[in-house]
Amino acid sequence: MEDIVLDIRGQICPACLLITLREINNSKLQLKRRETRLVVRTDHRDATRTIPGAVFAMGYDVNVVKKGGYYEITLEYKNG
Amino acid sequence: MGKMSSGTASLIAEDEKRDIYKSNERLKRYIRDKVNQLLTVMGTRPLNTEELDDDTLLDLDPIGIIALSFEQVLEHLKETNKKLRIAKDQLQAVFDTAGVCISIVDPELRIVNCNEKQKELLVSGNKEVIGHYCYEVYCGKDSPTLDCPAIETIETGRPVFIREVKKKGRNFQIVTSPLKDIDGNVIGVIEVSIDVTEKKKAEEGMRQAEKLAAIGLLAAGIAHEINNPLGNILGYAKLLMRESDISVGQREKLEVIVEQAKRGNEIVRGLLDFSRQSRPAFASVSMNEVILKALKSLSNQIDRQGIKLVTNLTKIPMVEGDPKQIEQVVVNLLLNSIQAIEDMTDRTISIETGYTDSGVEVRVIDNGHGIPEEILPRIFDPFFTTKPVGKGVGLGLSICLGIIKDHDGSIHVESEKGKGSKFSFHIPAMSA
Ligand SMILES: Nc1ncnc2c1ncn2[C@@H]1O[C@H](COP(=O)(O)OP(=O)(O)OP(=O)(O)O)[C@@H](O)[C@H]1O
Ligand SMILES: [Mg+2]
């Protein structure tokens, strides 16, 4: 299982949430079949709050890890 | 003029541009507002205006993205709903098939839910229970008792265990546990009641069996010790009676000695029977034949007292047992019936056989004086008798009980003072 990595570091990307949502939409099937996870790397602290808030209702588990100078948010579809 | 008009034309175009610009701005604001609104609905916070300029926002097609995300939210909701329903059904099934009674009540003790077992054992008839007070429905009271465990649980927030309580004629153990909300407030009580009636009966049976065994041992010891001196008394009394030079008065007194010694002998034999030191000799037994033999040995008494005897012996399987001992059971039951109808004008004893799930059944029914409720629990106790000295020792039924236990059977009595008695016992049938 290979993770889909969405690296939106460095860029001024206040739309992190929307971009993440778009990626989830695009990779919906693989994610839901649990063939992959989505790993988002961002240096926007806000994103660690907004992304979990939005994807939880869609059935994803979110794990946030603070790495060197950025955050790594891992989204995984939970079944059951 | 032309210049003027051209100037006017360009002025209109400027106006139009401004209008278009304005309405564009309005639209962008609208889209931003809606995006933010949608994001809030999804459970997250709005986007920062300074950080995301309008053009980037529009390029992203935010409403399109969120629409698709909503689709996923809906799918997830549907799946969750389905899972929840399955889980609820499973829980309900567990709730309903649990071997214990479960009921949930609110802090005012109104019933919120109760399972099938609870209804079966603690609700009379097909009464509606939800919304009614638990003390009314389950305890048959107008107000909760002082030691109500549910109230204690509501007050303390802790579970309460009650070792034994009698409700609706059965014995229960009860555990009440608090039902709490997320903040830890008690919002109800789960009452679990376990029916221990049968267990209790079994324990009492055990105690009875132990008591019988202890008394049996003692009785056997005493009987042996008494047998010898009794034999001597009887022997010497008989010897004396053979002497020719005793007076009539002396002879009469000797007769009393012999009679009483014989009676003592009988009691000793009863004691030995009761302790049954002799091992049962098991064989294949026809219950009907055993009964006929018992009736024959009592036929003199039955005839003499003008008793109407009704026999109804049906075709039944053989049982495995000791025919002598089973006969003794039948004789003891018949003797009790004969004694119970002595003072009646209309005297009937019925003896019947049948076949049930528990095996071969024998019923001895009389229309005698019956047994008062308060002594019913004691009639199988050794030495319990209501008969005058010389008439009963109180061993008959305890001997019956012991023999039937040895045969893996059971004995029951139904009786009411003044209405006669029905004794029935079961012995497992032999498998064909
Ligand atoms: N058929 C019956 N009708 C009314 N009372 C009965 C009947 N059978 C038993 N009882 C009651 O149960 C008591 C105990 O019976 P049980 O046979 O054990 O002793 P008993 O008859 O008194 O004495 P024993 O059988 O040793 O001569 C009796 O004294 C009597 O009060
Ligand atoms: Mg008796």
Side-chain angles (χ1 to χ4, degrees):
Chain A
M1 164 172 112
E2 188 132 345
D3 295 337
I4 299 172
V5 180
L6 191 62
D7 197 340
I8 39 181
R9 274 179 297 172
Q11 30 175 316
I12 303 169
C13 179
C16 287
L17 173 60
L18 287 175
I19 293 177
T20 304
L21 289 180
R22 184 171 63 193
E23 189 53 48
I24 294 178
N25 290 336
N26 290 343
S27 313
K28 179 173 136 181
L29 284 183
Q30 294 102 291
L31 284 167
K32 282 207 149 186
R33 283 196 215 114
R34 292 166 61 83
E35 289 162 6
T36 184
R37 303 182 302 180
L38 176 60
V39 178
V40 181
R41 294 192 184 129
T42 174
D43 27 31
H44 268 263
R45 210 186 138 154
D46 264 2
T48 63
R49 281 192 291 272
T50 55
I51 293 176
V55 301
F56 184 71
M58 294 156 65
Y60 289 86
D61 264 344
V62 187
N63 187 30
V64 182
V65 184
K66 190 173 159 67
K67 301 227 164 159
Y70 65 96
Y71 300 94
E72 191 169 274
I73 307 174
T74 308
L75 312 181
E76 192 174 2
Y77 190 74
K78 52 169 188 251
N79 61 347
Chain B
M1 268 295 251
K3 215 175 185 191
M4 272 282 277
S5 58
S6 95
T8 314
S10 90
L11 210 92
I12 292 167
E14 277 301 311
D15 274 357
E16 246 172 42
K17 253 196 224 157
R18 213 174 25 250
D19 278 354
I20 292 172
Y21 176 77
K22 259 193 196 157
S23 76
N24 265 350
E25 281 303 296
R26 246 203 331 272
L27 261 176
K28 282 180 199 165
R29 217 173 24 250
Y30 174 79
I31 291 175
R32 186 180 283 278
D33 278 355
K34 288 299 149 192
V35 168
N36 281 339
Q37 205 179 334
L38 286 172
L39 287 174
T40 319
V41 172
M42 277 188 73
T44 185
R45 47 180 222 89
L47 294 163
N48 249 333
T49 332
E50 325 74 80
E51 285 178 328
L52 188 62
D53 68 77
D54 290 341
D55 289 334
T56 325
L57 180 66
L58 287 184
D59 282 348
L60 264 173
D61 178 24
I63 296 189
I65 293 175
I66 295 177
L68 284 177
S69 298
F70 262 108
E71 195 181 299
Q72 288 205 48
V73 171
L74 275 183
E75 278 170 21
H76 178 60
L77 264 183
K78 263 189 226 155
E79 277 164 32
T80 311
N81 247 337
K82 203 163 106 190
K83 278 183 204 147
L84 273 179
R85 202 162 14 218
I86 294 173
K88 183 181 168 271
D89 288 350
Q90 284 173 346
L91 271 183
Q92 185 72 39
V94 172
F95 186 67
D96 275 340
T97 55
V100 297
C101 309
I102 309 174
S103 180
I104 301 172
V105 301
D106 70 12
E108 276 75 51
L109 300 180
R110 271 187 298 257
I111 300 166
V112 179
N113 203 347
C114 90
N115 73 346
E116 292 298 322
K117 192 83 184 173
Q118 176 96 18
K119 278 189 199 148
E120 181 190 324
L121 295 185
L122 285 162
V123 180
S124 332
N126 239 345
K127 244 198 303 203
E128 178 56 47
V129 295
I130 311 290
H132 292 259
Y133 291 108
C134 65
Y135 48 82
E136 284 177 3
V137 179
Y138 304 147
C139 303
K141 299 229 160 67
D142 294 334
S143 57
T145 51
L146 284 176
D147 52 358
C148 169
I151 291 186
E152 196 178 329
T153 292
I154 291 167
E155 280 168 0
T156 63
R158 277 198 293 271
V160 176
F161 174 66
I162 296 220
R163 263 190 73 79
E164 202 182 309
V165 62
K166 219 172 167 112
K167 283 185 187 181
K168 317 236 157 162
R170 304 189 73 83
N171 300 85
F172 290 95
Q173 278 180 355
I174 298 187
V175 184
T176 53
S177 324
L179 194 63
K180 294 183 177 172
D181 64 9
I182 305 176
D183 302 325
N185 303 314
V186 179
I187 52 166
V189 177
I190 307 171
E191 303 175 349
V192 176
S193 311
I194 304 161
D195 183 1
V196 290
T197 317
E198 299 306 321
K199 197 171 149 229
K200 209 180 155 205
K201 262 194 209 149
E203 278 170 7
E204 264 161 22
M206 282 284 284
R207 258 202 300 282
Q208 171 84 349
E210 278 166 18
K211 201 158 73 181
L212 282 181
I215 294 177
L217 226 56
L218 180 72
I222 294 173
H224 278 295
E225 293 305 313
I226 292 178
N227 237 353
N228 286 337
L230 265 183
N232 285 340
I233 292 172
L234 200 60
Y236 281 106
K238 280 183 175 165
L239 274 180
L240 262 182
M241 278 168 79
R242 273 193 220 136
E243 311 255 316
S244 47
D245 55 347
I246 53 171
S247 69
V248 177
Q250 282 171 328
R251 180 170 298 278
E252 272 171 9
K253 283 177 188 128
L254 275 173
E255 270 167 6
V256 173
I257 291 177
V258 169
E259 197 186 300
Q260 291 304 309
K262 274 188 180 159
R263 165 123 189 92
N265 242 334
E266 267 168 38
I267 293 175
V268 166
R269 190 147 21 87
L271 280 172
L272 283 172
D273 277 343
F274 164 70
S275 62
R276 281 188 321 291
Q277 297 303 57
S278 51
R279 292 269 99 229
F282 273 62
S284 161
V285 178
S286 154
M287 188 63 83
N288 289 338
E289 269 173 35
V290 166
I291 290 171
L292 290 175
K293 247 175 136 179
L295 286 174
K296 203 167 159 200
S297 71
L298 292 172
S299 60
N300 272 339
Q301 273 196 59
I302 293 174
D303 289 348
R304 208 175 337 117
Q305 296 194 23
I307 293 167
K308 185 174 165 228
L309 184 71
V310 181
T311 48
N312 190 3
L313 307 182
T314 55
K315 191 170 165 1
I316 42 173
M318 306 286 273
V319 297
E320 188 172 289
D322 182 331
K324 283 234 165 56
Q325 294 197 350
I326 299 176
E327 186 184 330
Q328 198 184 349
V329 171
V330 178
V331 168
N332 282 349
L333 293 180
L334 286 170
L335 273 176
N336 281 348
S337 285
I338 291 171
Q339 288 166 342
I341 54 177
E342 236 164 356
D343 298 332
M344 305 285 149
T345 39
D346 167 37
R347 301 168 186 164
T348 309
I349 296 177
S350 311
I351 184 159
E352 307 168 349
T353 53
Y355 183 44
T356 72
D357 286 348
S358 329
V360 167
E361 185 184 54
V362 179
R363 297 179 289 271
V364 178
I365 305 157
D366 64 62
N367 60 353
H369 53 65
I371 306 170
E373 204 188 329
E374 59 274 18
I375 69 161
L376 211 48
R378 300 172 54 199
I379 59 170
F380 290 98
D381 284 354
F383 303 111
F384 176 82
T385 181
T386 55
K387 293 165 192 172
V389 182
K391 195 129 194 218
V393 184
L395 281 177
L397 286 178
S398 56
I399 291 173
C400 293
L401 180 67
I403 291 176
I404 285 166
K405 282 246 169 82
D406 280 352
H407 285 76
D408 291 328
S410 57
I411 181 162
H412 306 275
V413 55
E414 280 167 46
S415 183
E416 211 179 305
K417 192 175 156 78
K419 297 227 169 112
S421 309
K422 172 174 156 187
F423 282 81
S424 51
F425 67 90
H426 293 90
I427 290 183
M430 274 173 92
S431 41

